[in-house]
Amino acid sequence: MDLIEAMEARHAIRMYTDEPVADDVIAALQSEIDTCNTESGLHIQMTTGLNDAFLGLKTHYGRFKGVHNTIALIGAADGTNSGWTKEGSEDAAATDPGEIALQQTVGYYGERLALKATQLGLATSWAVLDDAMSAENPWWTLAPGEKIVWVLAFGHGARPGGKHRSKPIEDLCTIPEGENMPDWFRAGMEAAMLAPTSLSQQPFHFTLHADGTVSARATEGLFAHVSLGCAIYHFEAASGHTVNWR
Ligand SMILES: Cc1cc2nc3c(=O)[nH]c(=O)nc-3n(C[C@H](O)[C@H](O)[C@H](O)COP(=O)(O)O)c2cc1C
């Protein structure tokens, strides 16, 4: 399964069976986590085979069942390990540059892991664990200054997922006036439209500038910068083009 096929096959799955994830699949995921941590400076961790990997914590929304395996997306709360941000923000809930950088980096690398898990034949769902910072005896460890909010549940799905509804492409991007949309940009946008976003809000906007550079910004939405990071990963992976970010 290539990455585009994985993007099409991935849907948020919130119920899992008790079937354990095979050891070789766990090893492949751990190897991808190690690579993501090295590249990003994040401190992503994984647990498998627990009775309740969410530790009884409430998710921001949605009902989860049978979550035995989870990836915790952890990073420095001030975003110091998160090397990049794209264009500015319209998201009133995240105005701090460190928070923005952390959210975007978590989205980008978390989605890379979600697609890897999909390629390995697993189901996934993003979730927000509301009180993760005050969990008792958590399976993850936080270095000083780090925080955990977002997690990825994964495993064998108990039911199939469905395709989410998308806003029209014209609402999610801008191209130079009077020009046709280049194929690589359209491919990137079509992939970005398949990305998971909180509450399916698609709070992102991509702009192709006349000089061929691209910028991407978050619009209003819940955890908009995490969703933007997911969309940017899809865009880059599908455009078949080294995107020249502005
Ligand atoms: C940053 C982020 C946070 C999310 N948080 C939750 C959550 O707390 N609870 C939940 O049930 N789903 C959560 N989701 C999953 C989205 O609701 C889901 O991805 C979206 O509805 C699109 O559906 P799809 O993933 O099937 O394409 C989250 C997704 C993202 C990207």
Side-chain angles (χ1 to χ4, degrees):
M1 185 188 289
D2 67 22
L3 269 180
I4 312 273
E5 288 165 339
M7 290 176 197
E8 278 158 3
R10 186 216 55 81
H11 307 295
I13 300 295
R14 300 178 177 87
M15 280 177 79
Y16 298 89
T17 69
D18 292 338
E19 185 187 342
V21 177
D23 289 346
D24 59 330
V25 172
I26 289 171
L29 259 185
Q30 186 60 55
S31 159
E32 190 74 359
I33 289 172
D34 294 344
T35 308
C36 288
N37 281 339
T38 304
E39 273 184 32
S40 66
L42 294 174
H43 189 188
I44 302 170
Q45 294 158 55
M46 170 169 70
T47 193
T48 57
L50 294 191
N51 185 38
D52 173 15
F54 281 1
L55 305 174
L57 295 166
K58 278 232 290 257
T59 53
H60 206 68
Y61 63 92
R63 258 172 188 250
F64 287 78
K65 221 177 146 199
V67 179
H68 305 303
N69 316 293
T70 294
I71 292 170
L73 300 160
I74 292 169
D78 63 4
T80 44
N81 57 8
S82 314
W84 47 277
T85 52
K86 305 295 179 216
E87 209 173 89
S89 166
E90 285 170 26
D91 177 21
T95 50
D96 175 64
E99 176 67 26
I100 289 173
L102 174 64
Q103 284 200 19
Q104 237 170 265
T105 309
V106 157
Y108 185 90
Y109 286 96
E111 185 56 10
R112 175 167 156 179
L113 292 169
L115 292 175
K116 180 71 183 183
T118 308
Q119 287 179 310
L120 291 166
L122 299 174
T124 62
S125 179
W126 281 82
V128 174
L129 290 184
D130 274 340
D131 294 315
M133 291 297 285
S134 45
E136 276 179 38
N137 301 319
W139 48 262
W140 56 83
T141 54
L142 299 177
E146 286 185 341
K147 79 170 185 181
I148 165 174
V149 180
W150 303 277
V151 293
L152 273 173
F154 68 91
H156 296 285
R159 49 168 75 151
K163 204 171 171 202
H164 64 242
R165 288 236 297 265
S166 177
K167 291 177 184 169
I169 193 167
E170 313 80 61
D171 291 4
L172 294 170
C173 66
T174 305
I175 58 168
E177 228 178 288
E179 284 190 22
N180 288 326
M181 192 180 291
D183 288 346
W184 65 268
F185 188 84
R186 183 177 295 279
M189 281 312 302
E190 284 173 352
M193 290 157 71
L194 293 172
T197 57
S198 263
L199 298 168
S200 279
Q201 288 172 327
Q202 299 184 303
F204 57 78
H205 196 94
F206 287 72
T207 301
L208 174 63
H209 300 275
D211 62 1
T213 59
V214 179
S215 55
R217 65 186 155 82
T219 55
E220 189 73 43
L222 182 67
F223 303 120
H225 289 275
V226 183
S227 300
L228 173 63
C230 295
I232 288 174
Y233 185 73
H234 278 226
F235 186 97
E236 279 186 348
S239 66
H241 187 89
T242 305
V243 181
N244 198 356
W245 293 105
R246 172 178 282 228

